[in-house]
């Protein structure tokens, strides 16, 4: 942002509760603002029906007074009222609400509301519009506070210590608008950790957190823990989507032996459509070969298993979002909105490299780093484990070795942000057959799950059995 010209004459005196509309000019200089960004942000809020973009604005503590134009303030206030009532809105609904408030003609009528959405292509740049609007607002507040400070300096009716204290409080009040999280006293995390330890003791070392459904994985990780980002990486066609969906399946439909209740899981499927994923999950859980369905050769037993499994899955708290090219901002908003409705316990993202950066002009490595940091922030914000699928580069195949952390594709920040890194690898050695079946019969294959990183636990290998015809992983038995 370019520097603002020096102030030559102050604003008129006004209190903190006064409107943030800066109608008086400053020696011929108009206070910083961007009406185009304001209009675009309002248009984005309308375009997505008052859902995700409004959630982002509220999380950013954007108030109505942040808008420079009076009509924009009225429109945003009306949006906030509808959002708080849980009502989606478009131009028609918003116009009707403004009419009831007596403000429709003031903002320019329905024509003005329609113009807000006509001038933007979508909501993908909403975060940039929000940043601009908020930045201009904070600068206007800083100008006002600075002007007020100058006036009080000339008055000099109080001690210097008291004066500096009040000035510091005023500036701190502006700075707080940039901060959305507060520091916690050590008592809170200690209480939480103590509670977790007691649960582990009472369960004599059993899993704490969301179980994976695989005894050997749970023995090394003690489950997937809240606020963790777990990377599941592999080369194409090794089965990372299958394993991730097995994790999700066990979350929403735990086995009777676990004694756990079904827990809600959200899957962002950036690669496969919801129908494809549902077909895979149905065949996987029913243990029916999808090829037999396509060929039309199902027997009565298989049809019965599919019908029973379909009924079971329909009642499971599993949610799939198959929107393509989502940005991290959009993913966080969608997950946040779902978490407000259901007690979300697990999020799966398939897969990281298909997510879009907020700025397509940035180098791809920086975009991946931004997405990775955002996913970790989402895990902390929602306090749920987030399993993120990722591609590996070709180095391990070229060098004929097991994959390692440096093979994570496109960005080293993935390794840094992750709490746990899983890597899938086909074993190499004397037992491997020509077709990679490791000497096991039929479509059964041994796959090693390499725990390459774990902040609070051991690293090592866990063998798994992959039944390719069902795209299903199971506990390994030699």
């Amino acid at each position: 942002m370019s520097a603002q010209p020096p102030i030559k004459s102050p604003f008129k005196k006004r209190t903190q509760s006064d409107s943030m509309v800066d109608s008086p000019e400053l020696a011929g200089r108009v206070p910083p603002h961007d009406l185009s960004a304001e209009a675009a942000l309002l248009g984005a809020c309308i375009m997505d029906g008052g859902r995700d973009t409004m959630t982002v604005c509220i999380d950013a503590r954007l108030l109505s007074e942040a808008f420079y134009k009076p009509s924009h303030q009225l429109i945003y206030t009306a949006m906030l009222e509808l959002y708080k009532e849980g009502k989606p809105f478009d131009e028609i609904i918003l116009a009707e609400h403004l009419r009831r408030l007596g403000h429709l003609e003031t903002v320019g009528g329905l024509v003005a509301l329609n113009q807000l959405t006509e001038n933007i292509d979508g909501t993908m740049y909403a975060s940039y519009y929000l940043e601009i609007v908020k930045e201009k607002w904070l600068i206007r507040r800083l100008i006002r506070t600075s002007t007020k400070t100058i006036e009080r300096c000339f008055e000099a009716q109080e001690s210097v210590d008291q004066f500096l204290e009040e000035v510091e409080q005023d500036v701190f009040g502006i700075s707080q608008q940039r901060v959305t999280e507060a520091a916690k006293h050590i008592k809170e995390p200690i209480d939480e950790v103590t509670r977790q330890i007691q649960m582990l003791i009472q369960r004599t070392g059993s899993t704490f957190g969301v179980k994976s459904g695989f005894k050997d994985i749970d023995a090394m990780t003690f489950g997937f823990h809240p606020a963790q980002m777990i990377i599941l990486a592999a080369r194409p066609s090794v089965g990372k989507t299958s394993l991730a969906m097995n994790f999700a399946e066990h979350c929403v439909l735990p086995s009777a032996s676990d004694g756990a209740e079904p827990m809600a899981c959200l899957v962002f499927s950036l690669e496969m459509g919801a129908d494809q994923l549902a077909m895979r999950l149905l065949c996987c859980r029913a243990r029916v070969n999808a090829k037999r369905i396509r060929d039309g050769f199902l027997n009565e037993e298989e049809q019965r298993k599919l019908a029973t499994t379909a009924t079971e899955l329909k009642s499971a708290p599993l949610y799939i979002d198959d929107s393509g090219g989502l940005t991290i901002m959009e993913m966080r908003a969608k997950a946040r909105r779902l978490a407000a409705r259901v007690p979300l316990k697990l999020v799966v993202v398939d897969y990281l490299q298909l997510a879009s950066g907020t700025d397509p002009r940035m180098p791809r490595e920086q975009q991946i780093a931004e997405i990775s940091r955002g996913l970790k922030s989402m895990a902390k914000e929602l306090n749920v484990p987030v399993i993120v699928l990722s591609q590996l580069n070709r180095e391990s195949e070229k060098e004929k070795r097991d994959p390692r952390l440096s093979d994570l594709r496109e960005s080293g920040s993935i390794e840094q942000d992750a709490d746990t890194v899983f890597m899938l690898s086909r074993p190499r050695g004397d037992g491997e057959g020509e077709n990679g079946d490791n000497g096991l019969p039929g479509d059964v294959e041994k796959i090693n799950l390499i725990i390459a990183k774990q902040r609070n636990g051991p690293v090592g290998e866990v063998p798994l059995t992959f039944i390719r015809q069902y795209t299903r992983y199971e506990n390994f038995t030699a």
Side-chain angles (χ1 to χ4, degrees), residues 91-108:
E91 294 91 333
I92 304 298
I93 295 173
L94 186 58
E96 181 58 31
H97 187 70
L98 286 165
R99 181 180 289 109
R100 287 198 300 269
L101 297 174
H103 297 321
L104 182 58
E105 296 305 320
T106 305
V107 303

Side-chain angles (χ1 to χ4, degrees), residues 41-314:
L41 180 58
L42 294 174
C45 290
I46 296 173
M47 189 167 285
D48 73 0
R51 295 190 297 268
D52 300 335
T53 307
M54 280 299 298
T55 301
V56 174
C57 290
I58 292 170
D59 286 347
R61 300 183 180 181
L62 190 72
L63 305 179
S64 299
E65 59 190 28
F67 293 86
Y68 180 81
K69 192 174 181 179
S71 62
H72 291 169
Q73 288 190 357
L74 294 173
I75 293 171
Y76 187 70
T77 299
M79 289 178 175
L80 286 175
E81 292 173 354
L82 290 169
Y83 182 87
K84 289 175 182 177
E85 294 173 4
K87 298 178 180 177
F89 56 79
D90 56 11
E91 294 91 333
I92 304 298
I93 295 173
L94 186 58
E96 181 58 31
H97 187 70
L98 286 165
R99 181 180 289 109
R100 287 198 300 269
L101 297 174
H103 297 321
L104 182 58
E105 296 305 320
T106 305
V107 303
L110 182 58
V111 173
L113 298 179
N114 286 329
Q115 288 176 345
L116 293 176
T117 55
E118 287 175 357
N119 295 327
I120 61 172
D121 294 329
T123 62
M124 61 172 52
Y125 299 114
S127 60
Y128 288 99
Y129 305 145
L130 172 59
E131 183 179 347
I132 293 171
V133 171
K134 191 171 183 180
E135 189 176 68
K136 301 292 186 183
W137 172 42
L138 294 178
I139 291 176
R140 292 199 302 272
R141 290 190 61 185
L142 188 58
I143 290 173
R144 184 174 301 113
T145 299
S146 302
T147 303
K148 175 184 173 183
T149 302
I150 293 171
E151 292 176 348
R152 291 177 61 188
C153 283
F154 282 105
E155 294 172 1
Q157 296 177 355
E158 54 207 319
S159 69
V160 173
D161 289 341
Q162 181 183 352
F163 173 66
L164 290 175
E165 176 68 21
E166 293 177 358
V167 170
E168 183 179 338
Q169 289 179 359
D170 289 342
V171 175
F172 180 70
I174 298 174
S175 179
Q176 274 191 314
Q177 293 294 332
R178 301 183 298 109
V179 181
T180 57
E181 296 180 358
K184 293 181 179 178
H185 188 272
I186 187 64
K187 179 181 182 300
E188 295 181 36
I190 287 294
D191 286 345
E192 176 61 22
V193 170
T194 302
R195 185 185 68 83
Q196 294 179 12
I197 292 173
Q198 288 297 328
M199 292 180 66
L200 288 172
I201 293 173
Q202 292 169 7
R203 298 178 183 179
T204 62
S206 65
T207 302
F208 179 80
V210 179
K211 290 187 177 183
S212 70
F214 299 87
K215 62 179 183 180
D216 292 334
I217 297 177
D218 289 335
M220 294 190 70
T221 64
F222 281 85
F224 304 133
H225 301 271
Q228 283 190 340
M229 181 171 83
I230 299 104
I231 295 293
L232 175 56
R235 290 292 297 151
S237 299
V238 177
K240 57 183 179 294
T241 299
S242 300
L243 183 57
M245 291 310 298
N246 289 162
F247 291 154
E249 175 192 336
H250 192 77
C251 176
V252 300
L253 292 171
S255 61
S257 60
D258 288 339
E261 295 293 325
M263 295 179 286
C265 173
L266 170 61
V267 177
F268 287 107
S269 180
L270 306 180
E271 182 178 31
M272 301 173 63
D275 292 347
Q276 292 176 291
L277 212 56
M279 172 67 81
R280 172 178 286 200
L281 187 58
L282 180 63
C283 294
C284 172
R285 186 165 179 83
R287 289 174 170 79
V288 173
N289 192 334
K291 185 176 185 303
R292 288 179 59 81
I293 298 178
R294 291 192 297 268
D295 294 342
F297 293 136
L298 291 180
N299 57 39
E300 291 185 3
E301 174 64 16
E302 289 171 328
Q303 294 180 39
R304 184 191 61 78
K305 288 196 294 185
L306 285 172
T308 302
T309 303
T311 302
E312 190 179 27
L313 286 172
K314 283 194 291 185

Side-chain angles (χ1 to χ4, degrees), residues 4-11 26-27 29 143-144 146-147 150:
Q4 298 298 321
I7 301 173
K8 294 186 178 180
S9 66
F11 286 115
L26 202 60
R29 294 184 177 92
I143 290 173
R144 184 174 301 113
S146 302
T147 303
I150 293 171

Side-chain angles (χ1 to χ4, degrees), residues 240-242 244-245 248 265-281 318-327 330-331 334-335 338 346-356 375 378 386-389:
K240 57 183 179 294
T241 299
S242 300
M245 291 310 298
C265 173
L266 170 61
V267 177
F268 287 107
S269 180
L270 306 180
E271 182 178 31
M272 301 173 63
D275 292 347
Q276 292 176 291
L277 212 56
M279 172 67 81
R280 172 178 286 200
L281 187 58
L318 178 62
Y319 301 84
I320 300 174
D321 188 317
D322 61 355
S323 306
L326 289 175
T327 65
E330 292 168 334
M331 273 191 273
K334 288 171 179 284
L338 179 62
L346 179 67
V347 175
V348 177
V349 179
D350 183 15
Y351 58 91
L352 187 148
Q353 281 79 14
L354 288 180
S356 299
L375 290 169
M378 180 171 72
V386 176
I387 299 175
V388 184
L389 277 61

